[in-house]
Amino acid sequence: MALEARRQRVMIRQVHPEVAGGRFAIKRVIGERVIVEADVFADGHDAIACALLHRHGHESTWHQIPMEPLGNDRWRASFGVTALGCYRYTIDGWVDPFATWRRDLLRRIEADRVSLGDLLIGVDLIERAAARAPEDAAVRLRAWAATLREEADLSRRQTVALDRELGALAVHYADRTRGSRYVRELVVTVEPVLARFGSWYEMFPRSCAPEPGRHGTLQDAQNRLPYVAAMGFDVLYLPPIHPIGQTFRKGKNNSMQGGPDDVGSPWAIGSAAGGHRAVHADLGTLNDLERLVEAAASRGITVALDLAFQCSPDHPDVQARPEWFRHRPDGTIQYAENPPKKYQDIYPLDFDCDDWEGLWTELKDVVTFWIQRGIRVFRVDNPHTKPFRFWEWLIAEVKRDHADVVFLSEAFTRPKVMYELAQLGFSQSYTYFTWRNTKAELTEYFTELMQTDVREYFRPALWPNTPDILSEYLQLGGRPAFIVRLALAGTLGASYGVYGPAFELCEDTPREPGSEEYLNSEKYEVRQRDLDVPLSLRELVSRLNRARRANPALHSDWSLRFHHVDNDRLICYSKRTADRRNVVLVVVNLDYTYTQSGWVTLDLEELGVPVDEPYQVHDLFGEGRYLWHGPRNYVELNPHELPAHVFELRPRVRTERDFDYYQ
Amino acid sequence: MALEARRQRVMIRQVHPEVAGGRFAIKRVIGERVIVEADVFADGHDAIACALLHRHGHESTWHQIPMEPLGNDRWRASFGVTALGCYRYTIDGWVDPFATWRRDLLRRIEADRVSLGDLLIGVDLIERAAARAPEDAAVRLRAWAATLREEADLSRRQTVALDRELGALAVHYADRTRGSRYVRELVVTVEPVLARFGSWYEMFPRSCAPEPGRHGTLQDAQNRLPYVAAMGFDVLYLPPIHPIGQTFRKGKNNSMQGGPDDVGSPWAIGSAAGGHRAVHADLGTLNDLERLVEAAASRGITVALDLAFQCSPDHPDVQARPEWFRHRPDGTIQYAENPPKKYQDIYPLDFDCDDWEGLWTELKDVVTFWIQRGIRVFRVDNPHTKPFRFWEWLIAEVKRDHADVVFLSEAFTRPKVMYELAQLGFSQSYTYFTWRNTKAELTEYFTELMQTDVREYFRPALWPNTPDILSEYLQLGGRPAFIVRLALAGTLGASYGVYGPAFELCEDTPREPGSEEYLNSEKYEVRQRDLDVPLSLRELVSRLNRARRANPALHSDWSLRFHHVDNDRLICYSKRTADRRNVVLVVVNLDYTYTQSGWVTLDLEELGVPVDEPYQVHDLFGEGRYLWHGPRNYVELNPHELPAHVFELRPRVRTERDFDYYQ
């Protein structure tokens, strides 16, 4: 222990939020607050004070905010984050002899036991404060000290001693030279709102051509924008748009022998025509992409690209940079495997090769290349099969120059690996939502994600389906099941997405029984559809996304609370803004076959609803309006009509709280 | 991030135990185990391995223990601590290409898809292992590689490739140069068993004279040893034995004006006769103390002294070292205060004075002085009114040379302050047990202390009474209340103590109603008692302490479990050894007035009792024997007979577990 540290009397412990002992940043988006708490205490009975210090990475000096005591030696303060990038925060604490003296003087006055000596101690402390203060404050403090020293009337002196304004001045100029600074500076990464809130739509451009049999283009995708915008999506995510390899190209339904007409998997990236920087000639050109990005932007839609760091055997780098791949003893390049399965159409990159720095830099340059073409959102394919340190480095490097970039981690893997990827910098992460179907599963999982410290770094993205996953629930439940999963995804998750048009068209046929793969998967072939079939959910999707945009309660996850329902097939939960001016209550029938009914028991205080006033619930999904009263209310949902209520609550009276843990 | 660190693929997270991000040591006593768990994982699908590293402070190299996977990326290993002082531990993790190859080869063989290339990769890996191995192992590995390379029969090669012994050898010589070391080295402080388990008896020597009116001596205290030993106590703790100041000496019942005959408070330390190194002349000499320590030791009793770092106005240091005290503007030394209360007979030391290093060194020398006279246990008076950093420094300094010293923190203050003192090094701590009376209070508090990470650093000492605290429960409940609190203290706490003879004589009269002070408190006067009165609890105390010594289950706190009783006035809990060879079940009637009865529902698996076998419970406190069967059993306790059962369980069959979290 350093010699001077031995004189620090104030301890600062249990700082919150803090991820993995400060190893990782916490996450916020523009406009949120960081509410910081800590145990701060000293030995003995002296009064202490503490301050939250914070500064943006661009600032060289700290802003200071006095912390407020919460009782039990816990203190709190908060600051808002208004700029992208990194903020730092830490805490200072110090013993304040002047505040101690004032507090004790008050007790002595109450007990009528003030001595002259007690007052003179204060004079000394005020003069010391004056010595630390700028001139104008010093003058006032010295005058105060003089009165306290010289005033003849002792009781008058007591009154003067307790002057609030002068007292505050003396406290402000406390001696902090022996104060304690918390051992760590903690970091907040601030990202765009889209990192927290957005509705995503995944779509294969090559399936977008209106003429039967034609390979769709980026221009066709652009023509599809009105359809996507009408459903109210914020992000249009495109699978890889690069040239596709020929060698070992997969055929329809992932067959090993692709024929000459097979289009191949977009994830088998690279051909003689180019690699990760090129656009597949059948899709169009870089200019076409830029036009699509612009056209989408004009409709409020952000285009997201796929980062799949792997190569087809035909990728130019395989020839140009063989040292970036792993070689087998026979000199061939090692293809991807999960023994005994082989993926001969894909070569993984060897992130640990001798020229790892060259490889890493190239991959960063690929990201920068697309950023320069207007892309700000990347869905990252299988990040868990590449080194954690690579992603930590890449994301930090990219965000240093482009703090507005959002990375979505597509890691459907073990929980600790998913959390690690989130901690090291991914803005958002796919979740197990896809396989959580029962009330118990949903309640447990989303309580973990949204009510524990996981939420400080892991932002969930809820996807009912992806091109890789047609869940059993969707396979079995038909259209009602799709609506259930849509309602859950869009209200449990501030960020959610669907793979369309498979989703809104309720495509539910697996490749074979027991498989989660789609039959005739778009991963291996062009799939054109009639979008105007009556079973389409486009109207419902549109209604849900409209409700999401209109209700700030649904823009964040931290306020999620589950409410009791006396029927396990019905789930009920709420989200709200911090001030409870916007409250959304959701009830979903998880049973896609039968009508379920039951009584919900609402936590009215949580909802800001007075116990003795009726309140209106307005269904933004199904459009009904009901007048409810008190905590217990009846619900009944027929899955073949509409299996979910998304209620906006409209109590006549609002309660408010000044201070809350989320936005 | 250092360049090379970027190549580390294994992550080591959530290491347990770890206190405050490694800022503080965890605690163990000689003979215990440290069970270490961590999340260890890498990207992708490669096999990983990890090892727990540990070494004693005296050792320069690590011992390594392979960690075992628990599932969900959690790993575990443990080591025993067999020497006093500090151990360090940390974790290494690495990717093992050889283990990965073997695992994948097995899968390929099962799928009958082995290629020659697959085998050759293994040859290369084995030769690399050989290059890292010592000569004899290298020879065997190379021979293996040669067979694998040259053997003509492919299926024979497969069999050879899976050789277990050679495989283990190759794994043993894995390449760990790019392995990861956990970021911190964590520390275990190992203390004597007494730090965890012991029965304490506090006694004022000056009250030990048999002749009425005579001031007792250390020799009188020595003569009292058979009485203390017969009750089965392990520690005899003496309040301060130093000269007592005359100035502002307190009179009986803490009156401000002491008379010439008043003996004063032993905590007003120091007179012309000496300070913290001196023995009060009326008690005897240093030699008398050394004799007492020896005589106690011969009966298995350790003598504990009081460390009260404060001075009476007559302490020699007040004259010799005025700079060690705080001065008021009028030049007088600041006495102790808790405004408006004043303690003019005590001057606090100014630990933050300009000569703080001189003062701290002097106080350390005081401790060393008593250590040299054979003292190894110190009860520290009000540590929370002295700087935390002082204690952290003092305890570390003392323990560096005397790792067998035990410090008990007498801090009855706010929870976070108590925990901080424990974290910074106190071996044991007084607790709120003194005021926890109901089943709910006891269950909640001891669950916090014994089932959460608090137990890694905070060792509870349970005291039903102290010279400062005659609790309301004891004041109101008479002899049954004393027995209740005795039984609870001695079975809930591996370490407990009483202030006697006030305790065993059931002294229950407060100074005034509403006060927790004793009437005619021994703090201010000599109190002689007839120890042979019939109401004395000495026999019960003796029986309890005998049960404690005989049952290892009661030597530790970590196994405490509460069992359900359908009567809130009855509390039921168990403790057991890790192997369940010793199980103690306690039932206490918390109602000191009325007989209470009810049905306990035992967790039989926890107790190691088969569901379908009867088992005997033998009351070591009340001496009854009962044959119980199954989880539900009837209990009835009359407080006026004996309000507690302390059962030793004797099932006919024992279940065992290999691995458990405590001793």
Side-chain angles (χ1 to χ4, degrees):
Chain A
M1 201 192 305
L3 204 62
E4 273 311 303
R6 291 213 189 114
R7 303 182 78 172
Q8 293 173 351
R9 288 180 51 204
V10 171
M11 303 289 118
I12 303 167
R13 307 279 180 227
Q14 300 288 337
V15 174
H16 186 272
E18 178 181 288
V19 175
R23 166 72 178 79
F24 297 109
I26 64 162
K27 297 195 178 110
R28 292 293 185 273
V29 306
I30 287 272
E32 290 184 336
R33 292 195 77 73
V34 181
I35 299 171
V36 180
E37 290 189 6
D39 293 346
V40 188
F41 51 87
D43 59 279
H45 307 291
D46 288 343
I48 64 160
C50 49
L52 170 62
L53 277 56
H54 67 95
R55 63 185 165 87
H56 191 274
H58 296 137
E59 297 172 313
S60 55
T61 57
W62 293 108
H63 302 274
Q64 301 213 16
I65 301 168
M67 297 185 79
E68 301 293 330
L70 303 175
N72 194 22
D73 293 314
R74 195 84 179 148
W75 298 72
R76 179 159 66 187
S78 71
F79 64 99
V81 289
T82 52
L84 294 172
C86 288
Y87 285 76
R88 292 178 167 265
Y89 61 101
T90 191
I91 292 172
D92 270 359
W94 59 96
V95 168
D96 191 335
F98 175 81
T100 307
W101 170 79
R102 281 236 314 178
R103 183 200 61 197
D104 290 351
L105 184 70
L106 206 62
R107 291 183 191 163
R108 288 190 179 96
I109 290 172
E110 281 165 5
D112 200 17
R113 283 179 135 182
V114 185
S115 74
L116 188 60
D118 295 329
L119 288 171
L120 291 178
I121 289 172
V123 170
D124 179 54
L125 292 167
I126 294 165
E127 280 171 346
R128 284 169 198 254
R132 289 183 294 266
E135 192 48 33
D136 55 339
V139 167
R140 297 175 61 202
L141 287 167
R142 281 199 207 96
W144 189 24
T147 311
L148 264 185
R149 197 190 307 106
E150 291 150 20
E151 169 68 45
D153 178 354
L154 192 64
S155 78
R156 161 105 183 98
R157 278 206 221 185
Q158 291 183 14
T159 312
V160 170
L162 296 176
D163 186 282
R164 286 176 72 115
E165 198 189 337
L166 290 166
L169 207 58
V171 164
H172 189 75
Y173 294 105
D175 177 12
R176 288 167 60 174
T177 53
R178 290 204 204 135
S180 309
R181 163 94 25 114
Y182 182 56
V183 285
R184 285 183 279 276
E185 287 184 10
L186 303 168
V187 178
V188 195
T189 303
V190 180
E191 301 187 277
V193 172
L194 191 59
R196 187 191 71 202
F197 170 63
S199 311
W200 293 50
Y201 189 75
E202 177 171 6
M203 184 180 83
F204 285 74
R206 70 184 181 190
S207 296
C208 288
E211 305 87 347
R214 179 164 70 74
H215 189 287
T217 65
L218 293 172
Q219 180 59 54
D220 293 319
Q222 188 173 329
N223 297 341
R224 186 70 64 84
L225 282 172
Y227 172 80
V228 176
M231 285 191 286
F233 286 105
D234 306 302
V235 179
L236 173 63
Y237 150 51
L238 310 179
I241 56 171
H242 315 299
I244 296 172
Q246 286 287 353
T247 307
F248 292 110
R249 178 178 281 191
K250 294 291 178 68
K252 289 178 180 173
N253 287 306
N254 199 24
S255 69
M256 289 293 285
Q257 270 71 40
D261 295 337
D262 280 309
V263 290
S265 161
W267 283 274
I269 294 171
S271 76
H276 284 80
R277 285 180 176 79
V279 173
H280 193 307
D282 290 349
L283 289 175
T285 65
L286 269 178
N287 281 345
D288 291 335
L289 179 75
E290 288 175 338
R291 268 196 298 273
L292 170 61
V293 169
E294 270 177 45
S298 74
R299 293 177 181 276
I301 292 176
T302 304
V303 172
L305 290 192
D306 196 302
L307 286 183
F309 285 152
Q310 58 199 20
C311 297
S312 93
D314 308 321
H315 193 290
D317 286 345
V318 174
Q319 297 297 322
R321 298 297 205 143
E323 68 273 22
W324 288 351
F325 301 86
R326 196 165 289 147
H327 294 256
R328 293 165 61 91
D330 63 4
T332 60
I333 291 180
Q334 176 72 59
Y335 44 78
E337 280 187 287
N338 188 8
K341 288 191 204 162
K342 301 177 177 186
Y343 305 93
Q344 285 138 315
D345 60 335
I346 290 174
Y347 289 169
L349 290 157
D350 182 4
F351 287 81
D352 194 30
C353 66
D354 289 339
D355 184 36
W356 62 275
E357 290 183 85
L359 170 61
W360 292 24
T361 304
E362 161 63 11
L363 296 174
K364 182 192 134 189
D365 290 348
V366 165
V367 179
T368 311
F369 177 89
W370 294 108
I371 289 173
Q372 283 160 354
R373 266 109 204 130
I375 301 299
R376 286 294 179 278
V377 180
F378 296 95
R379 176 269 199 192
V380 178
D381 188 71
N382 279 335
H384 57 294
T385 60
K386 290 93 187 171
F388 297 111
R389 302 285 205 187
F390 165 71
W391 294 118
E392 188 171 17
W393 170 84
L394 180 84
I395 294 171
E397 286 283 307
V398 170
K399 281 187 161 275
R400 198 177 47 214
D401 297 326
H402 308 283
D404 58 340
V405 172
V406 170
F407 292 94
L408 165 61
S409 159
E410 188 249 4
F412 288 114
T413 180
R414 291 121 58 209
K416 286 164 188 178
V417 172
M418 291 175 67
Y419 287 161
E420 179 79 12
L421 290 164
Q423 288 179 330
L424 60 79
F426 279 92
S427 318
Q428 244 187 52
S429 309
Y430 281 62
T431 61
Y432 304 141
F433 166 73
T434 316
W435 302 275
R436 296 291 180 273
N437 298 310
T438 67
K439 179 153 82 173
E441 286 167 355
L442 292 163
T443 304
E444 183 189 16
Y445 187 48
F446 287 97
T447 298
E448 174 179 326
L449 294 186
M450 297 172 182
Q451 297 300 318
T452 73
D453 269 1
V454 166
R455 69 189 190 181
E456 297 289 349
Y457 55 85
F458 186 94
R459 294 204 195 91
L462 280 60
W463 289 68
N465 74 330
T466 77
D468 297 318
I469 311 167
L470 172 63
S471 71
E472 190 183 28
Y473 188 91
L474 294 181
Q475 293 178 30
L476 299 176
R479 194 173 185 269
F482 280 76
I483 302 174
V484 166
R485 300 301 293 175
L486 172 71
L488 289 171
T491 57
L492 279 171
S495 188
Y496 91 108
V498 299
Y499 151 55
F503 187 83
E504 68 268 24
L505 300 182
C506 304
E507 293 181 2
D508 59 5
T509 314
R511 198 177 58 199
E512 68 268 344
S515 168
E516 287 190 334
E517 290 284 339
Y518 278 90
L519 179 67
N520 304 327
S521 168
E522 240 174 320
K523 289 192 289 184
Y524 310 105
E525 62 188 278
V526 170
R527 287 284 309 279
Q528 293 168 317
R529 290 104 160 170
D530 178 0
L531 301 177
D532 295 320
V533 289
L535 98 173
S536 171
L537 303 180
R538 60 197 279 189
E539 260 313 309
L540 272 178
V541 172
S542 160
R543 226 183 288 161
L544 179 71
N545 286 339
R546 218 163 33 229
R548 283 167 51 82
R549 284 189 180 158
N551 287 275
L554 296 176
H555 295 195
S556 163
D557 290 327
W558 290 25
S559 71
L560 179 72
R561 290 292 182 285
F562 292 94
H563 301 262
H564 184 258
V565 197
D566 60 0
N567 177 339
D568 274 349
R569 314 303 294 267
L570 294 174
I571 190 168
C572 175
Y573 50 87
S574 63
K575 284 186 170 182
R576 62 174 176 87
T577 53
D579 62 7
R580 291 181 176 74
R581 286 188 181 280
N582 182 243
V583 180
V584 172
L585 183 75
V586 179
V587 189
V588 181
N589 177 5
L590 302 172
D591 181 347
Y592 45 66
T593 309
Y594 297 108
T595 296
Q596 297 286 345
S597 62
W599 290 82
V600 297
T601 306
L602 303 176
D603 177 347
L604 293 184
E605 191 187 331
E606 169 64 24
L607 303 177
V609 172
V611 179
D612 46 6
E613 298 265 348
Y615 51 100
Q616 194 194 95
V617 297
H618 173 201
D619 192 347
L620 306 172
F621 203 42
E623 308 229 311
R625 286 170 198 267
Y626 309 88
L627 199 65
W628 281 9
H629 196 297
R632 273 174 64 81
N633 293 280
Y634 179 78
V635 287
E636 179 177 306
L637 287 161
N638 178 345
H640 304 289
E641 290 169 7
L642 201 56
H645 290 306
V646 179
F647 290 129
E648 188 191 351
L649 257 66
R650 295 185 176 162
R652 296 208 197 136
V653 185
R654 289 273 165 191
T655 63
E656 288 191 32
R657 284 184 186 170
D658 293 328
F659 209 62
D660 217 325
Y661 279 88
Y662 44 85
Q663 307 314 311
Chain B
M1 203 192 304
L3 204 62
E4 273 311 302
R6 291 212 190 117
R7 303 182 78 171
Q8 293 173 352
R9 288 179 52 203
V10 172
M11 304 289 119
I12 303 168
R13 307 280 180 227
Q14 300 288 336
V15 174
H16 186 270
E18 177 179 288
V19 176
R23 167 72 178 80
F24 297 109
I26 63 161
K27 296 193 178 115
R28 291 293 185 274
V29 305
I30 287 272
E32 289 184 337
R33 292 196 76 76
V34 180
I35 299 170
V36 180
E37 290 188 7
D39 293 347
V40 187
F41 50 87
D43 60 278
H45 307 292
D46 288 343
I48 64 159
C50 49
L52 170 63
L53 277 55
H54 67 95
R55 62 184 166 91
H56 190 273
H58 296 136
E59 297 173 312
S60 54
T61 57
W62 294 107
H63 303 273
Q64 302 213 15
I65 302 167
M67 297 185 80
E68 301 293 330
L70 302 175
N72 194 21
D73 293 314
R74 194 84 179 149
W75 297 72
R76 180 158 64 187
S78 71
F79 64 99
V81 290
T82 52
L84 294 172
C86 287
Y87 285 75
R88 290 177 169 268
Y89 61 100
T90 191
I91 292 172
D92 269 0
W94 59 95
V95 169
D96 190 334
F98 175 81
T100 307
W101 170 79
R102 280 234 317 176
R103 183 201 61 196
D104 290 351
L105 185 69
L106 206 62
R107 291 183 190 163
R108 289 190 177 95
I109 290 173
E110 281 164 4
D112 199 16
R113 283 181 133 181
V114 184
S115 74
L116 188 60
D118 293 329
L119 288 170
L120 291 179
I121 289 172
V123 169
D124 179 52
L125 292 167
I126 294 165
E127 280 171 347
R128 285 170 198 252
R132 289 184 294 266
E135 192 47 33
D136 55 339
V139 168
R140 297 175 61 202
L141 287 167
R142 281 199 208 96
W144 190 27
T147 311
L148 264 185
R149 197 189 307 106
E150 291 150 20
E151 168 66 47
D153 178 354
L154 192 65
S155 79
R156 161 104 183 100
R157 279 206 221 185
Q158 292 183 14
T159 312
V160 169
L162 296 176
D163 186 281
R164 287 176 72 114
E165 197 190 340
L166 289 166
L169 206 59
V171 165
H172 188 76
Y173 293 105
D175 178 11
R176 289 166 60 174
T177 52
R178 290 202 204 137
S180 309
R181 163 93 25 114
Y182 182 55
V183 284
R184 285 184 278 277
E185 288 184 10
L186 302 168
V187 178
V188 195
T189 302
V190 180
E191 302 187 276
V193 172
L194 191 58
R196 187 191 71 202
F197 170 62
S199 311
W200 293 49
Y201 189 75
E202 177 172 5
M203 183 179 83
F204 285 74
R206 69 184 181 190
S207 295
C208 288
E211 305 87 347
R214 178 164 72 71
H215 189 286
T217 64
L218 293 172
Q219 179 59 54
D220 293 320
Q222 189 173 328
N223 297 340
R224 186 69 66 82
L225 282 172
Y227 171 81
V228 176
M231 284 192 287
F233 285 105
D234 306 303
V235 179
L236 174 63
Y237 150 50
L238 310 179
I241 57 171
H242 314 299
I244 297 172
Q246 285 288 350
T247 306
F248 292 110
R249 177 178 281 191
K250 295 292 178 68
K252 288 178 180 173
N253 286 308
N254 200 23
S255 69
M256 288 294 285
Q257 271 70 39
D261 295 336
D262 280 308
V263 289
S265 160
W267 283 275
I269 293 170
S271 75
H276 284 80
R277 286 179 175 81
V279 172
H280 193 306
D282 290 350
L283 289 175
T285 65
L286 268 177
N287 281 344
D288 290 336
L289 179 76
E290 287 175 338
R291 267 195 298 275
L292 170 60
V293 169
E294 271 177 43
S298 73
R299 292 177 180 276
I301 293 176
T302 304
V303 172
L305 290 192
D306 197 304
L307 286 183
F309 286 151
Q310 57 200 19
C311 298
S312 94
D314 308 321
H315 193 289
D317 285 347
V318 174
Q319 296 296 322
R321 299 296 204 144
E323 68 273 21
W324 288 352
F325 301 87
R326 197 165 288 147
H327 294 257
R328 293 164 62 90
D330 63 5
T332 59
I333 291 179
Q334 177 73 58
Y335 45 78
E337 281 186 288
N338 189 7
K341 288 191 205 162
K342 300 177 178 188
Y343 306 93
Q344 285 139 315
D345 59 335
I346 290 174
Y347 289 169
L349 290 156
D350 182 5
F351 287 80
D352 194 30
C353 65
D354 288 341
D355 185 37
W356 62 275
E357 291 184 85
L359 170 61
W360 291 25
T361 304
E362 161 62 12
L363 296 175
K364 181 191 134 191
D365 289 348
V366 165
V367 179
T368 310
F369 177 88
W370 294 107
I371 289 173
Q372 283 161 354
R373 265 106 204 133
I375 300 299
R376 286 294 179 279
V377 180
F378 296 94
R379 177 270 199 190
V380 178
D381 188 71
N382 279 335
H384 58 294
T385 60
K386 290 94 187 171
F388 297 110
R389 301 286 204 186
F390 165 71
W391 294 117
E392 187 171 18
W393 170 85
L394 179 84
I395 294 170
E397 286 281 308
V398 169
K399 281 186 163 277
R400 197 176 49 214
D401 297 327
H402 307 282
D404 58 342
V405 171
V406 169
F407 292 93
L408 166 61
S409 159
E410 188 248 5
F412 288 114
T413 180
R414 290 121 58 208
K416 286 166 186 174
V417 172
M418 291 175 67
Y419 288 160
E420 178 79 13
L421 289 164
Q423 287 178 330
L424 59 79
F426 279 93
S427 318
Q428 245 187 50
S429 308
Y430 281 62
T431 61
Y432 303 141
F433 166 73
T434 316
W435 302 275
R436 296 291 180 272
N437 299 309
T438 67
K439 178 153 83 173
E441 286 167 355
L442 291 163
T443 304
E444 183 190 15
Y445 187 48
F446 287 98
T447 298
E448 174 179 326
L449 294 187
M450 297 171 182
Q451 298 300 320
T452 73
D453 269 1
V454 167
R455 69 189 189 181
E456 297 289 348
Y457 55 85
F458 185 93
R459 293 204 194 93
L462 280 60
W463 288 68
N465 74 331
T466 77
D468 297 318
I469 311 167
L470 171 64
S471 71
E472 191 183 26
Y473 189 91
L474 294 180
Q475 293 178 30
L476 298 177
R479 194 171 184 271
F482 280 77
I483 302 173
V484 166
R485 299 301 292 176
L486 172 71
L488 290 170
T491 57
L492 279 172
S495 188
Y496 92 107
V498 299
Y499 151 56
F503 187 81
E504 69 266 25
L505 299 183
C506 305
E507 292 180 4
D508 60 4
T509 314
R511 199 177 58 198
E512 68 269 343
S515 168
E516 287 189 334
E517 290 284 340
Y518 278 90
L519 179 67
N520 304 326
S521 166
E522 239 173 321
K523 288 192 290 183
Y524 310 106
E525 62 188 279
V526 170
R527 287 283 309 279
Q528 294 168 318
R529 290 104 158 171
D530 178 1
L531 302 176
D532 295 319
V533 291
L535 100 172
S536 171
L537 304 179
R538 59 197 280 189
E539 260 313 308
L540 273 177
V541 171
S542 161
R543 225 182 288 161
L544 179 71
N545 284 340
R546 221 164 29 232
R548 283 167 53 83
R549 283 188 181 160
N551 287 275
L554 296 176
H555 295 196
S556 164
D557 289 327
W558 290 25
S559 71
L560 179 72
R561 290 293 182 285
F562 291 94
H563 301 264
H564 184 260
V565 197
D566 61 1
N567 177 339
D568 274 349
R569 314 304 293 266
L570 294 174
I571 190 168
C572 174
Y573 50 87
S574 62
K575 284 186 169 182
R576 63 174 176 87
T577 53
D579 62 8
R580 290 182 177 75
R581 286 189 181 277
N582 181 243
V583 180
V584 171
L585 183 75
V586 179
V587 188
V588 181
N589 176 4
L590 302 172
D591 180 348
Y592 45 66
T593 309
Y594 297 107
T595 296
Q596 298 286 345
S597 62
W599 290 83
V600 297
T601 305
L602 303 175
D603 177 347
L604 292 185
E605 191 187 333
E606 169 65 23
L607 303 177
V609 172
V611 177
D612 45 6
E613 297 266 346
Y615 50 100
Q616 194 193 94
V617 297
H618 173 201
D619 192 346
L620 306 172
F621 202 44
E623 309 230 310
R625 283 167 199 271
Y626 309 88
L627 199 66
W628 281 9
H629 196 297
R632 274 175 63 83
N633 293 281
Y634 179 77
V635 286
E636 179 177 305
L637 287 160
N638 178 345
H640 303 289
E641 291 168 6
L642 202 56
H645 291 306
V646 179
F647 291 129
E648 188 191 351
L649 256 67
R650 295 183 176 163
R652 295 207 198 138
V653 185
R654 290 272 168 194
T655 63
E656 288 189 34
R657 284 186 186 169
D658 292 329
F659 209 61
D660 216 326
Y661 278 87
Y662 44 85
Q663 309 311 312

